[in-house]
Each structure stands twice: as C-alpha cells, then as structure tokens.
C-alpha cells in the first residue's frame, strides 16, 4: 500500500496583535519517504471555531462528531484559561482521525484550504533523504515534542531534464 500523507496541527503559542489574540497554528503535511512541508497559520479563536471546528462538525454530522471528539472538546468562547490546551487536544484528535483515514478526502481538502488561505508564514519544505519520518542530519526536534522541524536550507527541488 502507498504511504498516506500525514497532517499535523498544533498551537505553538499565542500573542496579541492590534488588540486581537492570535494563535500560532503550526501546520505540517508529510508524505513518508518523500518529504515534508510546514508553515505557521496565524488565526484568531473565532476563525478556528468558524473555519475549522464548525466545518468539521457539519461535515461529520452530530453523532459522528461526538464519537470522534468525546475526549477532546473544542475551546469555549471568550478564551478562558485552558483554551490553548483544549484547542491542542481537539487539533490532535482531528489529526489522529485524518491520518487514520477516518475523514473523507473532501473534508481533508477543506481543512487544508482553511490552513492555506494566504496567511501562511515561515514556509519550510524538506525532502526525506533517508526514508524515515524526517530522518537525516538536517532534522532537529522542535520544542521537545518529537516533531521534525527542518531548516530552510534543507530543501532541494527535484531536478528536471533539459535546460
């Protein structure tokens, strides 16, 4: 069987910008044995709720959504203490289901559209040189969380024949 792309979504922090609380959504998409691309997608809580949570809930339906996320509730409105932890739990559950193939390709495409809407920052792409999960001398662990965070200079575009 072909390797399946792996989606990663993680909130790496938040900051206030022009009186708005922005969450720093770290996004990664990896195809084992081929490579990985990752970027930051800054979003406000209401954008995460309307553009991601509500979309997923509508597409899955009430019962299936409740089953998928029974242990990972989405953040409450007005961002009380614990919001980042709740969001990370929910995002982790979403990625777990997506990476196991439990959501439709159409929903996955809509999720990717949400995180690639033009507000991307610090895009980094790497080729998987040794065939393992971001293995190789250029890989380093990010924040002790076991996620690969390659450097910008690690990417070499594939060569094309001709001039």
């Amino acid at each position: 069987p072909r390797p399946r792309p792996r989606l990663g979504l993680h909130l790496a922090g938040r900051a206030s910008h022009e009186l708005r609380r922005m969450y720093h959504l770290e996004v990664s998409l990896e195809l084992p044995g081929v490579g990985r691309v990752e970027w930051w997608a800054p979003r406000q809580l209401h954008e995460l709720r309307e553009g991601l949570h509500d979309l997923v809930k509508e597409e899955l339906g009430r019962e299936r959504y409740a089953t998928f996320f029974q242990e990972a509730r989405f953040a409450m409105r007005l961002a009380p203490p614990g919001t980042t932890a709740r969001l990370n739990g929910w995002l982790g559950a979403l990625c777990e289901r997506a990476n196991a193939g439990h959501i439709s390709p159409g929903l996955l495409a809509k999720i990717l559209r949400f995180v690639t809407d033009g507000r991307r920052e610090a895009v980094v792409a790497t080729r998987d040189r040794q065939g393992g999960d971001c293995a190789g001398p250029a890989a380093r662990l990010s924040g002790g969380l076991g996620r690969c965070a390659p450097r910008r200079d690690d990417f070499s575009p594939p060569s094309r024949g001709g001039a």
Side-chain angles (χ1 to χ4, degrees):
R2 280 193 196 183
R4 153 187 333 233
R6 297 196 47 82
L7 175 66
L9 299 170
H10 175 78
L11 288 182
R14 66 176 194 261
S16 293
H17 178 69
E18 296 179 2
L19 300 177
R20 295 183 182 139
R21 182 175 292 164
M22 299 298 291
Y23 290 89
H24 301 287
L25 181 60
E26 181 181 85
V27 183
S28 64
L29 193 58
E30 178 179 358
L31 185 58
V34 176
R36 175 183 181 101
V37 62
E38 55 187 42
W39 64 93
W40 297 93
R43 299 293 186 271
Q44 294 178 48
L45 179 57
H46 78 89
E47 292 174 312
L48 291 168
R49 178 180 306 283
E50 294 166 10
L52 195 57
H53 169 265
D54 294 353
L55 168 77
V56 169
K57 192 171 188 176
E58 180 180 326
E59 290 277 332
L60 292 177
R62 192 175 279 278
E63 286 183 34
R64 194 163 176 218
Y65 177 87
T67 301
F68 277 17
F69 296 101
Q70 77 183 55
E71 300 296 323
R73 301 291 183 205
F74 194 79
M76 297 188 302
R77 296 184 189 277
L78 303 178
T83 295
T84 301
R86 284 181 77 130
L87 287 170
N88 271 325
W90 189 88
L91 292 168
L94 175 61
C95 289
E96 184 178 308
R97 296 297 184 168
N99 293 335
H102 296 298
I103 65 171
S104 71
L107 177 55
L108 184 56
K110 289 176 183 179
I111 292 167
L112 289 172
R113 190 174 315 133
F114 172 76
V115 298
T116 60
D117 70 354
R119 294 180 289 160
R120 295 180 303 259
E121 298 177 5
V123 178
V124 178
T126 59
R127 254 199 291 177
D128 188 354
R129 295 181 183 165
Q130 296 180 1
D133 296 338
C134 289
R140 63 181 169 80
L141 293 179
S142 172
L145 298 175
R147 291 183 317 278
C148 175
R151 298 185 319 243
R152 283 184 182 269
D153 59 353
D154 293 338
F155 178 69
S156 301
S159 61
R160 292 190 169 156

